[in-house]
Amino acid sequence: MATSLLETFLTRARQSPERPILDFEQQRFTAGQLAGHVAAFASALQRRGLKPGERVALFLENSPAFVISYLGTQYAGGVVVLVNTQYRQVELGHILSDAGARACVTGAAGAAELAPLKAQLPALEWLVTEESPGGPLSAPVPWPAVDFDALLAEGNPTAALPLPGGEQLAVLGYTSGTTGRSKGAMLLHRNLLANVRAVTEAWRWTEKDRLLLTLPLFHTHGLMVGLHGTLYSGGSVDLRRRFAAPEVLSALQEDSSLTMFFGVPTMYGRLVEEARRTGPSPRPRSLRLLVSGSAPLSPQLFHDVEETFGQRILERYGMTETIMNTTNPYEGERRPGTVGMPYPGQEARVVDVRTRQPLPDGETGEIEVRGPHVFAGYWQRPDATAESFDPEGWFRTGDLGLRDRDGYFHITGRARELIISGGFNVYPREVEEVLATHPGVAEVAVLGLPDSDFGEQVVAVVVPRSPAPEAQALTDFCKDSLASFKKPRRVVFVEALPRNALGKVQKHLLRERLQTQAPPANVQKPTEP
Ligand code: MLC
Ligand code: AMP
């Protein structure tokens, strides 16, 4: 019995080396070729001194290099640190130093973004640079850098290295909390394996399947559902650098080899719009499964997708710390507005947020999960780990919801302050901390308001100092240090923030007032909410 997904992949590749597994732009890889690259990458890392348990950051767009580096780092006994390619100085400096990454695989743009952080990253010793969109390195970087292909050439494609054990750390997935900086969720090889088994079983994923994957590989959805499922089932993946609605729609309509597509609700909203724009077209016949997750899917969008694709979308619920938690049934009724039931071998329940006691069906509380998929804790944060688990091993998800009489879970809100914009998470505190350092800002509160494309949008409510800054200047200021998707889409100036008796900002009052105001023209000049 395999102890890791990596082992399953390597075994399958040995058994059927000619099987096509990965397509990307003009490149096609068989399982045997991919396994050879993975072994070469792993052995080259070891030759360069990577020790088991050491961290390698991937700051890369979707590409075969991502897949090879991901599996190759694990085969070398290393731990992959996932980094969103939109991250800028503040997020990068924190994640790479917290993880103590020894090497980083990145492109030219990523290397340029990292360069000013040299002093902050004493553990980082070298870079592997991949010639992706930014082209080859144009400016010198303050670390020794080896080209990705040159690194592969250094390694041995037939190397048989020791396989990682189930208890070994495989991935650090950074995820933010309500306070402080983001924390690294420690996922063990056995967590990855248990969850991918559960997901592939629940969705009847087999070697006959071919997935169109446009989700970024640096987050759970694209990586631990899309890629892991492909590797485990023995199917294949048509991997794209990014999502573009026209291309995805025509692939889904014309490519009869595709059987599955996974996306966040924003992607489905854009696909439905695109289909309306291009007019009636044949419904894809081979397509057997459309999955949505990472953010709430509205019942309206559920029905629009059904009308457009003739498929009832399957909504599931997951998170970085636990990979996939619940799913609507593959064969039974897929209910709009619900996230279904726990996967086989996993548990979920709803507890009262104060007493932490389980609640009867129909009552709203915090969702907790337990099972072999749940992570081992936060990297070097025993305090945060202890706060997140109860003594019986239930993990507090921070999501509010209920279980209905038929056993379907519904997510109704969040116990923590989190904005989910197009499937990316934004913690208001992080944006507030950056805006508060702007000389024109006296006080600031950041919150999420509904958005027709992204589900939620980031809104900043600012008490300005004199002279008041331009809203655009504040937005640009955020973009300089944080990922662009975190910048406020709307800035509202006020004279004072509403506070309760303890001085805490009453964001619910701001939200109510802003929601009843006229829709924004992107940014607004001073008004009293
Ligand atoms: C991009 N932009 C966003 C954004 N995505 N702004 C707000 N929210 C978003 N989600 C901004 C960029 O910063 C940029 O701004 C501009 O839009 C154009 O960038 P782009 O890259 O061309 O955007 P686009 O291709 O339109 O991206 C939309 C998207 C993308 C939906 C394809 O957001 C996406 O891939 N989302 C998926 C996220 C995901 O995989 N989540 C899974 C997390 S795992 P400017 O001003 O710089 O031009 C998880 C667990 C689970 O949650 O259960 O799955
Ligand atoms: P992340 O920390 O990026 O892994 O984000 C995980 C969060 O995304 C969860 O805690 C939920 O709040 C949210 N999420 C994931 N799937 C769904 C879904 N189907 N419906 C609503 N929220 C979801």
Side-chain angles (χ1 to χ4, degrees):
M1 186 87 149
T3 55
S4 64
L5 170 63
L6 173 74
E7 184 178 347
T8 307
F9 157 68
L10 292 173
T11 307
R12 279 184 170 281
R14 251 193 323 274
Q15 289 162 348
S16 322
E18 300 305 326
R19 185 173 50 81
I21 190 166
L22 167 66
D23 285 285
F24 180 80
E25 297 174 350
Q26 308 317 321
Q27 298 167 269
R28 163 162 282 207
F29 295 80
T30 63
Q33 286 166 334
L34 187 62
H37 290 312
V38 167
F41 188 91
S43 53
L45 281 189
Q46 288 189 340
R47 282 183 194 175
R48 285 177 168 253
L50 190 86
K51 302 272 179 308
E54 289 186 334
R55 276 79 57 211
V56 176
L58 304 193
F59 183 36
L60 270 183
E61 290 197 335
N62 285 3
S63 60
F66 189 113
V67 178
I68 295 164
S69 314
Y70 177 70
L71 294 168
T73 298
Q74 294 182 2
Y75 198 19
V79 179
V80 173
V81 182
L82 298 171
V83 188
N84 186 320
T85 50
Q86 288 205 38
Y87 285 168
R88 296 290 163 260
Q89 309 279 303
V90 170
E91 298 110 329
L92 286 175
H94 167 65
I95 292 175
L96 269 72
S97 67
D98 185 74
R102 218 179 138 192
C104 177
V105 190
T106 190
E113 195 67 37
L114 286 172
L117 296 168
K118 168 80 177 147
Q120 234 178 294
L121 304 174
L124 188 60
E125 288 172 15
W126 55 292
L127 304 184
V128 183
T129 51
E130 201 247 341
E131 271 195 37
S132 54
L137 286 186
S138 49
V141 287
W143 294 278
V146 56
D147 173 69
F148 181 80
D149 290 329
L151 186 77
L152 287 188
E154 280 176 22
N156 172 9
T158 59
L161 306 173
L163 286 162
E167 293 300 323
Q168 237 170 285
L169 189 52
V171 175
L172 285 182
Y174 274 79
T175 174
S176 303
T178 43
T179 54
R181 289 285 171 80
S182 64
K183 305 182 284 284
M186 298 191 288
L187 288 154
L188 309 180
H189 282 281
R190 66 172 171 77
N191 299 137
L192 309 190
L193 186 60
N195 198 251
V196 75
R197 271 195 188 125
V199 169
T200 49
E201 180 188 331
W203 298 350
R204 313 284 184 264
W205 199 332
T206 73
E207 72 281 354
K208 296 202 187 79
D209 281 305
R210 182 164 167 81
L211 171 71
L212 177 61
L213 185 56
T214 66
L215 285 155
L217 289 174
F218 49 69
H219 278 319
T220 302
H221 197 164
L223 181 68
M224 303 210 177
V225 192
L227 182 67
H228 284 191
T230 301
L231 298 173
Y232 186 79
S233 66
S236 67
V237 60
D238 174 350
L239 179 69
R240 304 290 172 99
R241 196 177 290 283
R242 52 181 36 246
F243 172 84
E247 285 165 28
V248 170
L249 185 67
S250 54
L252 293 179
Q253 285 170 342
E254 288 156 26
D255 184 346
S256 56
S257 71
L258 295 172
T259 64
M260 305 195 290
F261 175 76
F262 303 163
V264 296
T266 300
M267 293 177 176
Y268 287 104
R270 292 184 185 180
L271 286 174
V272 166
E273 278 301 306
E274 183 63 17
R276 284 185 181 143
R277 202 180 60 74
T278 55
S281 62
R283 282 178 178 172
R285 281 213 209 110
S286 55
L287 208 57
R288 69 167 186 92
L289 183 61
L290 299 177
V291 173
S292 175
S294 311
L297 178 77
S298 70
Q300 179 62 48
L301 191 48
F302 180 101
H303 292 301
D304 288 347
V305 169
E306 189 171 9
E307 215 173 84
T308 311
F309 294 98
Q311 293 267 341
R312 283 174 82 77
I313 213 162
L314 184 150
E315 186 173 4
R316 94 296 176 284
Y317 155 59
M319 58 195 306
T320 305
E321 290 94 331
T322 59
I323 323 182
M324 293 298 104
N325 288 321
T326 65
T327 179
N328 266 277
Y330 181 72
E331 263 128 20
E333 188 198 352
R334 300 179 194 168
R335 283 197 190 167
T338 81
V339 293
M341 299 136 192
Y343 283 88
Q346 303 182 180
E347 296 175 276
R349 68 177 188 182
V350 177
V351 300
D352 184 288
V353 280
R354 272 179 300 275
T355 65
R356 310 306 304 180
Q357 290 307 305
L359 288 171
D361 286 346
E363 287 189 27
T364 301
E366 185 173 347
I367 299 175
E368 293 189 334
V369 297
R370 189 165 70 172
H373 61 309
V374 176
F375 75 134
Y378 295 108
W379 175 250
Q380 293 177 337
R381 292 291 306 274
D383 52 335
T385 303
E387 277 170 26
S388 310
F389 286 92
D390 88 347
E392 288 161 358
W394 288 97
F395 173 66
R396 303 172 170 175
T397 62
D399 291 309
L400 299 178
L402 59 88
R403 187 173 65 184
D404 66 24
R405 273 197 317 217
D406 301 324
Y408 287 73
F409 281 78
H410 301 232
I411 297 178
T412 56
R414 295 172 204 129
R416 59 212 154 120
E417 259 196 72
L418 165 66
I419 301 167
I420 303 185
S421 170
F424 284 136
N425 289 0
V426 184
Y427 283 85
R429 167 86 177 257
E430 199 179 14
V431 185
E432 285 164 0
E433 279 175 6
V434 167
L435 283 174
T437 64
H438 189 281
V441 173
E443 284 187 289
V444 57
V446 167
L447 47 100
L449 287 184
D451 182 274
S452 58
D453 183 26
F454 289 122
E456 285 181 287
Q457 64 172 220
V458 178
V459 175
V461 184
V462 171
V463 179
R465 283 186 210 283
S466 182
E470 288 290 324
Q472 188 63 48
L474 296 183
T475 304
D476 292 344
F477 186 72
C478 275
K479 239 178 109 167
D480 285 343
S481 40
L482 293 175
S484 169
F485 64 83
K486 297 180 183 173
K487 66 179 189 266
R489 299 255 149 192
R490 180 179 173 195
V491 179
V492 181
F493 292 97
V494 296
E495 279 168 16
L497 296 175
R499 291 182 185 276
N500 67 13
L502 298 173
K504 192 172 177 321
V505 177
Q506 293 172 300
K507 287 195 183 173
H508 64 284
L509 290 182
L510 285 174
R511 195 170 290 112
E512 279 162 24
R513 290 176 199 172
L514 290 171
Q515 266 175 315
T516 54
Q517 276 182 2
N522 191 24
V523 287
Q524 260 176 236
K525 289 306 285 174
T527 48
E528 178 71 39

